[in-house]
Amino acid sequence: MVIPEQKIEEIRAAANIYDFISPHIALRKRGRNYIGLCPFHNEKTPSFTVSEEKQIFHCFGCHAGGNVYRFIMDYQKISFIEAVQDVAKQVGISVEVTQTEQTEGPSEQEMLYDVNTIAARYFLENLLNAPEGETARKYFENRKIKLSTIRTFGLGYALPAWEAFINFARDKNIELNKAVQLGLIGKTNEGRLYDKFSGRIIFPIFSSTGRVIAFGGRILENRENTAKYLNSPESVVYTKGRVLYGLSHAKDDIRKLNKAILVEGYMDLISLHQAGVKNVVAVSGTALTEEQVQLLSRYTKNVVLLFDADAAGMKAAMRSIELLLQRDMEIKIASLPSGEDPDSYVNTYGKQAFEKIIDRAQNFLEYQTDYFQKQGLFNEPSTTADAIRELMKPVALIQDELKRSLLIKTIAKKFNLREMLLEDELRKTLAGHQREDQIEAKRRKNVESKVLAEILPADKQIPQHIFNLEVELIKLLFEGSEKVVELIVHHINDEMLLSEANAAIFNEVAEAYNADADLTAGALIGRIKDEKIQQYISNITLEKYSISKMWEELHPDEVRGNILEKYTKDVLCKYKHAHLDENAKEFYLEMENAQNDDDKIIIMKRLRELNREKQLISDELL
Ligand SMILES: [Zn+2]
């Protein structure tokens, strides 16, 4: 399905973002923007901001943000194309969705999605009808997976051949290098192509909006030197740590029940779904990541972990617990009788028995204390001390003081531990965190928002004041003023920008400017495909604190456009000066180390040139 970029932009320009958000969320005016309670996370004070002027939204609580399409996609949980169609209908523009290529052609990303979709259909077809698919059909039959479930999750089978998929891809005119990029086709050292998933049953991995972005493949017969599971490599459409398996199938139920069950494997999730337990997501193979937690926190704050009760499972669970606690999630842990996994359990005992297990889930601290007690750690003072230290580590991550002390009280009482002992240990851990926080705060000093800190590369030393000016320039690009964009595009280039994200944004805006395209924030943000960068932009451009606003307050009588231009010139001047000052710093260092007067004179000359350059910049801009 393809809608030309131009049409997408035409539809967006005809829609007012306010009209699309206000029917769902009570918005009230504050300053130039509207604010309301965020639909993507639970909150009591509004941090969800909508700008009619810029045609974007941003939540300062969970960092969701973007233009009207992003809102519709996330709110209604539909794909991009569907969101475009939806908006088009409401603004009365007709779109013809065609299968054929438009003059402009689909983006690289779209083409990769298409290859994945076609491949997924092919694997499904093999599973359902190919004679060689019999073993795979048997496999699912043995695991009691119904046909309807196979279709729901698009399960499939890759024929056990060298070139079955390759031949199919050739027939379908798929560019083979795209399939190589996506990890569907592999290349031997001699350059020969082969089917990467050959002989595996296939689990398509969907984005939260339901598009096929990757595949997981499980071997059917254990063969030597072959991994049991194979996953697609990361690609333009797939970043491993940012996807939760099954989320697109589960999100409605997660929202409805306000609870998510986290399991380990594909089959666990699929069996549960088939049994009617649908608020389930799987981490599948990798450890839970911060991004996955953030993704999940958009739908619920309540998570039940269902992991193997053995030591390894426990260790994996602890790491997840820490991440979840940092996001202020409520965590419970459920465990199955030993020897059972969710898949086997629900197949044997059914939905109701499983739901009982979930209802009996213990608070994470209770669970862990229980576990330590069973291991006999509280029998001796020395092991007790270690165990308590371990227990308090995650507790210290809970922000809410009241919640913390309640937890401690419950645990102390239930396990007959001295409350004081727990509190002392907690205090020590908290003091340690505070020190870490202070160090972290120093690093983040002056960085205005969390999202900003996230995209700021930690290893790269960017002088803070230059970075702040850089962000200010990026902000100005989204003010909707052609004159401002012109000034910035003429005075700087992407190579000057020290942060990669900023440089990428700058290039997109410069391209839009050169193409005479719409320069409102809502249009520009749509050109950027990376969700994280979209959030970053909506964050900085809607930030409550803005220097340009202070300028406006200082010059109440001037026309807004004039102030903005003056301000832009001021920032540009400071930014270019700051770069030159960095050079000057190096010269001063050289000067200190200079061996003789001749060297010093040369350095002095260079410094004078720098100063002259600075003066020229001031003359031109101020
Ligand atoms: Zn939010």
Side-chain angles (χ1 to χ4, degrees):
M1 282 201 287
V2 182
I3 303 176
E5 286 289 336
Q6 216 181 342
K7 194 85 183 170
I8 292 172
E9 184 39 36
E10 181 196 331
I11 296 160
R12 195 212 53 80
N16 181 353
I17 192 166
Y18 176 84
D19 297 335
F20 284 81
I21 297 181
S22 61
H24 308 292
I25 294 149
L27 294 173
R28 63 187 163 84
K29 189 113 189 165
R30 187 164 75 191
R32 266 209 276 279
N33 301 328
Y34 292 90
I35 56 164
L37 291 174
C38 178
F40 305 118
H41 82 285
N42 288 324
E43 61 174 7
K44 294 192 183 76
T45 48
S47 41
F48 183 81
T49 310
V50 180
S51 166
E52 218 174 347
E53 192 178 35
K54 297 199 168 83
Q55 289 295 313
I56 54 177
F57 75 95
H58 184 80
C59 170
F60 290 93
C62 66
H63 302 305
N67 62 15
V68 65
Y69 293 139
R70 169 67 56 193
F71 179 82
I72 303 271
M73 280 162 74
D74 289 354
Y75 190 79
Q76 299 184 13
K77 290 155 275 164
I78 55 178
S79 71
F80 178 71
I81 296 291
E82 288 167 319
V84 174
Q85 288 173 311
D86 194 64
V87 175
K89 210 162 105 191
Q90 292 200 48
V91 296
I93 296 178
S94 71
V95 271
E96 276 156 39
V97 181
T98 53
Q99 296 290 344
T100 51
E101 278 196 2
Q102 298 295 321
T103 40
E104 291 258 316
S107 69
E108 172 77 9
Q109 218 174 359
E110 284 299 328
M111 286 193 274
L112 292 175
Y113 279 130
D114 283 348
V115 173
N116 271 344
T117 308
I118 295 168
R121 269 189 215 126
Y122 162 78
F123 293 136
L124 171 67
E125 177 60 27
N126 288 342
L127 175 63
L128 297 180
N129 299 320
E132 303 98 310
E134 190 52 31
T135 42
R137 285 194 286 276
K138 270 263 142 32
Y139 173 83
F140 285 116
E141 208 181 295
N142 288 338
R143 307 198 66 158
K144 303 198 173 80
I145 298 299
K146 295 177 193 150
L147 183 63
S148 58
T149 306
I150 287 177
R151 290 194 182 276
T152 301
F153 289 94
L155 305 177
Y157 180 56
L159 301 180
W162 264 78
E163 295 190 322
F165 176 75
I166 293 173
N167 290 334
F168 166 80
R170 282 205 181 100
D171 277 354
K172 291 278 168 185
N173 288 325
I174 288 175
E175 285 176 52
L176 293 189
N177 66 349
K178 292 219 155 49
V180 172
Q181 252 184 72
L182 290 165
L184 287 160
I185 297 176
K187 220 181 222 175
T188 63
N189 289 338
E190 294 82 42
R192 186 179 163 196
L193 300 179
Y194 65 95
D195 289 2
K196 202 77 183 284
F197 284 92
S198 162
R200 291 171 184 269
I201 52 170
I202 301 287
F203 301 88
I205 296 168
F206 298 91
S207 71
S208 55
T209 49
R211 309 186 82 167
V212 182
I213 51 177
F215 296 94
R218 187 194 189 282
I219 204 84
L220 264 185
E221 288 130 31
N222 282 326
R223 271 182 261 156
E224 257 177 70
N225 303 326
T226 312
K228 190 169 165 193
Y229 280 98
L230 175 74
N231 269 300
S232 300
E234 300 211 333
S235 68
V236 180
V237 294
Y238 177 52
T239 314
K240 229 178 229 168
R242 287 193 197 163
V243 181
L244 277 165
Y245 181 71
L247 183 62
S248 61
H249 293 88
K251 58 190 179 181
D252 288 339
D253 284 76
I254 291 176
R255 233 184 222 151
K256 211 162 62 198
L257 301 167
N258 194 17
K259 186 197 282 179
I261 302 170
L262 202 60
V263 296
E264 279 180 325
Y266 304 129
M267 283 308 290
D268 293 332
L269 181 139
I270 291 168
S271 295
L272 288 171
H273 190 96
Q274 179 172 278
V277 184
K278 294 185 177 173
N279 55 331
V280 189
V281 287
V283 281
S284 70
T286 55
L288 190 70
T289 66
E290 234 178 290
E291 280 128 330
Q292 289 172 327
V293 174
Q294 192 191 355
L295 186 63
L296 192 58
S297 73
R298 287 198 199 166
Y299 301 93
T300 186
K301 288 274 175 199
N302 302 305
V303 179
V304 180
L305 296 180
L306 193 61
F307 282 165
D308 292 344
D310 58 13
M314 188 65 210
K315 210 168 176 186
M318 274 322 291
R319 176 79 192 114
S320 308
I321 288 170
E322 281 170 19
L323 282 173
L324 290 160
L325 284 174
Q326 276 163 351
R327 278 264 162 200
D328 209 19
M329 310 276 264
E330 296 285 340
I331 308 142
K332 292 198 164 176
I333 301 186
S335 51
L336 296 165
S338 68
E340 297 276 4
D341 55 36
D343 174 26
S344 67
Y345 190 85
V346 80
N347 274 326
T348 316
Y349 302 102
K351 184 189 179 194
Q352 279 184 343
F354 180 81
E355 276 175 343
K356 261 190 204 133
I357 297 249
I358 294 299
D359 289 342
R360 276 205 305 268
Q362 280 175 307
N363 162 287
F364 78 93
L365 190 58
E366 223 173 306
Y367 182 88
Q368 212 194 0
T369 316
D370 208 16
Y371 179 75
F372 284 169
Q373 195 180 42
K374 277 178 192 151
Q375 294 204 314
L377 294 184
F378 297 132
N379 298 343
E380 278 175 55
S382 65
T383 47
T384 303
D386 285 344
I388 288 182
R389 201 165 303 135
E390 276 306 303
L391 287 175
M392 287 308 113
K393 269 187 206 161
V395 179
L397 295 171
I398 300 172
Q399 300 293 321
D400 189 337
E401 206 177 321
L402 192 66
K403 219 195 237 169
R404 276 200 311 249
S405 69
L406 272 175
L407 262 176
I408 288 182
K409 273 196 189 11
T410 327
I411 290 303
K413 211 167 158 189
K414 189 164 175 195
F415 296 92
N416 208 11
L417 297 166
R418 273 172 51 216
E419 204 176 313
M420 280 288 286
L421 218 60
L422 297 176
E423 272 171 0
D424 277 350
E425 197 50 54
L426 175 66
R427 239 191 312 278
K428 274 185 226 161
T429 315
L430 283 173
H433 281 197
Q434 216 165 30
R435 270 196 306 278
E436 282 166 28
D437 283 352
Q438 278 162 1
I439 295 166
E440 179 65 10
K442 233 179 209 166
R443 188 173 82 76
R444 291 191 176 183
K445 201 172 154 200
N446 297 330
V447 179
E448 292 169 18
S449 75
K450 239 174 160 178
V451 180
L452 212 58
E454 267 174 39
I455 71 151
L456 176 65
D459 54 330
K460 206 159 139 190
Q461 278 303 314
I462 298 180
Q464 193 64 58
H465 66 290
I466 298 191
F467 183 73
N468 288 349
L469 287 165
E470 197 168 296
V471 172
E472 202 57 28
L473 286 174
I474 297 295
K475 246 189 224 185
L476 283 164
L477 289 173
F478 291 83
E479 283 294 330
S481 158
E482 194 183 329
K483 185 75 203 175
V484 166
V485 173
E486 181 188 292
L487 274 167
I488 297 173
V489 170
H490 281 169
H491 278 95
I492 64 170
N493 57 57
D494 60 346
E495 276 167 26
M496 286 175 82
L497 294 163
L498 298 178
S499 143
E500 262 172 53
N502 286 340
I505 296 166
F506 172 84
N507 284 336
E508 276 299 338
V509 177
E511 203 178 287
Y513 169 79
N514 289 326
D516 265 332
D518 187 350
L519 295 176
T520 56
L524 292 175
I525 209 168
R527 300 175 73 99
I528 287 146
K529 301 298 174 216
D530 185 309
E531 196 179 338
K532 203 125 219 167
I533 296 185
Q534 283 192 357
Q535 290 176 357
Y536 161 62
I537 296 169
S538 63
N539 185 321
I540 61 168
T541 56
L542 290 182
E543 213 139 31
K544 283 166 223 160
Y545 167 78
S546 94
I547 311 174
S548 60
K549 204 168 159 204
M550 276 167 50
W551 266 57
E552 284 170 46
E553 279 158 13
L554 283 172
H555 309 272
D557 304 325
E558 274 220 63
V559 186
R560 179 150 189 272
N562 289 345
I563 299 168
L564 215 53
E565 276 167 43
K566 274 189 194 159
Y567 177 66
T568 306
K569 287 178 180 170
D570 185 65
V571 178
L572 274 171
C573 185
K574 284 194 181 119
Y575 183 67
K576 295 180 104 171
H577 280 191
H579 269 285
L580 292 173
D581 287 342
E582 284 299 305
N583 291 346
K585 254 191 224 162
E586 279 163 34
F587 290 152
Y588 282 118
L589 264 179
E590 276 178 38
M591 182 81 102
E592 270 174 35
N593 299 326
Q595 300 299 325
N596 55 53
D597 284 351
D598 282 353
D599 285 351
K600 282 187 186 170
I601 289 170
I602 292 172
I603 298 167
M604 295 266 280
K605 256 190 193 160
R606 290 213 216 123
L607 275 166
R608 259 206 303 277
E609 274 163 29
L610 270 185
N611 274 328
R612 209 171 300 135
E613 210 176 319
K614 278 176 79 173
Q615 188 55 49
L616 281 174
I617 292 166
S618 303
D619 290 347
E620 194 189 346
L621 283 164
L622 302 180

